[in-house]
Amino acid sequence: MHPHITGKTRIYGLIGDPLKSARSPMLLNRLFAEAQTDAVCIPLEVGTQALAEFVKGARALRNLDGLLVTMPHKQTMLEVVDILHPSARQVGAINVVRCDKDGRWEGAVFDGLGCVLGMQRQGVSVLGKSVLLVGAGGSGRAIAFAVAAAGAYSLTISDLDPHRAADLAQSAGKEGSCNVHAGPPDPEGHDIVINATPLGMNPDDPMPVEAERLTPAMVVVDIITRSEPTALLLAAQARGCKTLDGEPMHLGQALLALDFLGFKNIERRYSTGL
Amino acid sequence: MHPHITGKTRIYGLIGDPLKSARSPMLLNRLFAEAQTDAVCIPLEVGTQALAEFVKGARALRNLDGLLVTMPHKQTMLEVVDILHPSARQVGAINVVRCDKDGRWEGAVFDGLGCVLGMQRQGVSVLGKSVLLVGAGGSGRAIAFAVAAAGAYSLTISDLDPHRAADLAQSAGKEGSCNVHAGPPDPEGHDIVINATPLGMNPDDPMPVEAERLTPAMVVVDIITRSEPTALLLAAQARGCKTLDGEPMHLGQALLALDFLGFKNIERRYSTGL
């Protein structure tokens, strides 16, 4: 049922390809409904080749107020928007576009800040902590900057490609006073372990970290969003660790995206729960 | 609340400008929900100048299955689609576009056929009847062809512009065996009176027909959709006429549009109520 869509309803699109398992429309529409906002988020499936044409058409719409951006468009959208939010410039990707009334599009990325906010909302702060981040791809890159900026004491970045880990460590190390370096996927000596690789999506995947070296005081975060816990989270739970799946990050991203899109009421409402 | 929109939901857009008082999204979404169809209709506000750009972008979308078309794009869309349904070729306008899987767009117009279907669903058949149609603009034009094709005995077309009335009478007269001619807005001698002018939208509007010449056996249809009855309908009711407002036509249009868009189940369900 979507009986509340009228001619006045403002439109938010989620662009990506594929979108079959996308969950943002459901989450945003729930937040819109809870805030009694006359807006709707719909999936807009656009392939790589068609993005430029799509963008021209989208700019012709008067009631399109924003876009959520997912794969494969997160980098390409950097060239499309008129203004880059500092987060997008830093991370080199976009996951939300605000379509301003003057016709200008501003792009931002809240993957990393959403991960940190989601952890905070679950009582896990990175402030002063030693963090192991596995995966220096798109999500890992965003999380590295956000963790460093949120006051972590140290951040170890691990990736199958050691150059990619070292490059990201160097860039993220410029943020604040966090001690950032590349290293192996060994939890020992860390307070928080974050998996930002796709390992765990499929049953046959190897573990992203050396799970046998997890200890009960560690918090283990796996940003993969699926209904069943990943093998990493099951192993961490068996060893007594507090665990977080991808849900808190997903909600954190959505809250920050909505705040950026101008829904200050939604953000305030949820931030009281911090 | 629109909690059922997921990444798999198929999109139908209503294009027009302005759309503030558009009611099709509500009606279509109700029909989608009743048929448990994973589809949503959203308003897409596009101005005249931006239509060409919008269309390019819309063609880039993989999950857009159709467009409803309202003012000011009903004529312009004739140049945009790849295939014209006979209704669109006849009337010279489009109010629905089906975006086929092979990428081709087919345009049709169900304003007139929807009016006739809506009347039928309310027990009013034009078969063998004498019909007075006031207004030879976009809606009037569509209704004239549909009334003539549905087997009316005669059709009088009245318009402030006598040339426009005469031109339409000549074109619609080629449909079937209906005796179509231009004439004054005088109900006398007619079984059914249809107002297809905008007169009645505003309180100060003059009557579209000579209302004092309505008699109780006549059926009066006013296609204007608003919450309060128009002055014409009030006058007709006062004189004992059966009256229909714009709702039956609106539903008839939607049912025919959905049938054209491939929702055979919705059409069947409603056609049992004929």
Side-chain angles (χ1 to χ4, degrees):
Chain A
M1 294 276 294
H2 9 258
H4 287 310
I5 299 176
T6 71
K8 294 177 195 163
T9 302
R10 308 301 297 182
I11 308 297
Y12 294 85
L14 165 67
I15 62 166
D17 177 33
L19 290 178
K20 284 200 167 21
S21 48
R23 296 156 69 256
S24 301
M26 280 167 284
L27 176 55
L28 255 74
N29 288 328
R30 180 165 68 77
L31 295 174
F32 287 149
E34 285 174 10
Q36 298 186 295
T37 296
D38 189 11
V40 62
C41 178
I42 52 157
L44 297 172
E45 199 170 282
V46 185
T48 307
Q49 303 301 321
L51 184 69
E53 289 294 291
F54 165 78
V55 166
K56 283 185 208 164
R59 283 184 182 269
L61 287 176
R62 288 218 204 95
N63 60 342
L64 180 76
D65 282 358
L67 292 171
L68 303 188
V69 182
T70 188
M71 301 303 293
H73 304 307
K74 287 183 151 193
Q75 279 79 40
T76 327
M77 283 300 284
L78 288 169
E79 309 298 320
V80 167
V81 299
D82 305 299
I83 309 165
L84 289 180
H85 185 267
S87 62
R89 204 175 301 122
Q90 191 178 55
V91 175
I94 282 176
N95 84 328
V96 57
V97 175
R98 187 178 64 224
C99 308
D100 285 333
K101 296 228 182 302
D102 63 6
R104 291 192 301 179
W105 284 17
E106 180 169 354
V109 62
F110 296 115
D111 291 355
L113 297 167
C115 182
V116 169
L117 175 62
M119 289 162 67
Q120 281 174 340
R121 288 171 46 84
Q122 297 294 323
V124 179
S125 169
V126 300
L127 187 67
K129 300 288 172 56
S130 291
V131 178
L132 169 63
L133 171 66
V134 190
S139 297
R141 191 171 165 82
I143 292 170
F145 283 102
V147 164
Y153 169 75
S154 73
L155 172 61
T156 306
I157 300 174
S158 181
D159 196 278
L160 285 178
D161 176 349
H163 295 294
R164 189 158 80 155
D167 285 351
L168 177 55
Q170 193 177 22
S171 306
K174 293 171 188 160
E175 295 302 312
S177 57
C178 183
N179 172 24
V180 189
H181 53 87
D186 179 357
E188 192 175 322
H190 296 93
D191 306 303
I192 299 171
V193 175
I194 303 173
N195 175 39
T197 74
L199 294 176
M201 300 270 278
N202 299 310
D204 298 339
D205 288 340
M207 281 283 182
V209 304
E210 298 171 33
E212 68 280 4
R213 292 170 68 84
L214 292 167
T215 57
M218 296 176 182
V219 176
V220 178
V221 180
D222 196 331
I223 69 164
I224 291 173
T225 50
R226 24 170 265 172
S227 46
E228 298 296 307
T230 59
L232 171 61
L233 291 186
L234 290 174
Q237 285 161 10
R239 301 183 75 85
C241 303
K242 179 180 171 84
T243 60
L244 298 180
D245 63 14
E247 280 303 318
M249 171 172 166
H250 193 230
L251 180 57
Q253 286 174 293
L255 293 175
L256 292 170
L258 287 172
D259 182 67
F260 174 72
L261 290 169
F263 293 96
K264 301 300 175 189
N265 56 336
I266 291 178
E267 202 276 332
R268 262 204 302 277
R269 176 177 183 147
Y270 274 84
S271 55
T272 59
L274 281 176
Chain B
M1 294 274 294
H2 7 257
H4 287 309
I5 299 175
T6 72
K8 293 177 196 164
T9 302
R10 308 301 297 183
I11 308 298
Y12 294 84
L14 165 67
I15 63 167
D17 176 33
L19 290 179
K20 284 200 167 22
S21 49
R23 298 156 68 255
S24 301
M26 280 167 285
L27 176 55
L28 256 74
N29 287 328
R30 180 165 69 76
L31 296 174
F32 287 150
E34 286 174 8
Q36 298 186 294
T37 296
D38 189 9
V40 62
C41 177
I42 53 157
L44 297 172
E45 199 170 283
V46 184
T48 307
Q49 303 301 321
L51 184 69
E53 290 293 292
F54 164 78
V55 166
K56 283 185 208 164
R59 283 184 182 268
L61 288 176
R62 287 218 204 95
N63 59 342
L64 180 77
D65 282 358
L67 292 171
L68 302 188
V69 182
T70 187
M71 299 302 294
H73 305 306
K74 288 182 150 195
Q75 279 78 41
T76 327
M77 284 300 284
L78 288 168
E79 309 298 320
V80 167
V81 299
D82 305 298
I83 309 165
L84 288 180
H85 184 266
S87 62
R89 203 175 301 123
Q90 190 177 55
V91 175
I94 282 176
N95 83 328
V96 56
V97 175
R98 187 179 64 224
C99 308
D100 285 333
K101 296 229 182 302
D102 62 6
R104 291 192 303 178
W105 284 17
E106 179 169 355
V109 63
F110 296 115
D111 291 354
L113 296 168
C115 182
V116 169
L117 175 62
M119 289 162 67
Q120 282 175 340
R121 289 172 45 84
Q122 297 294 324
V124 179
S125 168
V126 300
L127 188 67
K129 302 287 171 56
S130 291
V131 178
L132 169 63
L133 171 67
V134 189
S139 297
R141 192 173 164 80
I143 292 169
F145 283 103
V147 165
Y153 169 75
S154 73
L155 171 62
T156 306
I157 300 174
S158 181
D159 195 279
L160 285 178
D161 178 349
H163 295 294
R164 190 159 77 155
D167 286 350
L168 178 55
Q170 192 176 25
S171 306
K174 294 172 186 159
E175 295 302 311
S177 57
C178 184
N179 170 25
V180 189
H181 53 88
D186 179 357
E188 192 175 321
H190 296 94
D191 306 302
I192 301 172
V193 174
I194 304 174
N195 175 39
T197 75
L199 294 176
M201 301 268 280
N202 300 309
D204 299 337
D205 288 342
M207 282 281 182
V209 305
E210 297 171 34
E212 68 280 4
R213 292 170 69 84
L214 291 167
T215 57
M218 297 176 182
V219 176
V220 178
V221 180
D222 196 332
I223 70 163
I224 291 173
T225 50
R226 24 169 266 173
S227 46
E228 298 297 307
T230 59
L232 172 62
L233 291 186
L234 291 174
Q237 286 160 9
R239 301 184 75 84
C241 304
K242 178 180 173 87
T243 61
L244 299 180
D245 64 13
E247 280 303 318
M249 171 172 165
H250 193 230
L251 180 57
Q253 286 174 295
L255 293 175
L256 291 170
L258 287 172
D259 181 67
F260 174 71
L261 290 168
F263 294 96
K264 301 300 175 190
N265 56 335
I266 291 177
E267 204 276 333
R268 261 204 302 276
R269 177 177 182 148
Y270 275 84
S271 55
T272 58
L274 280 176

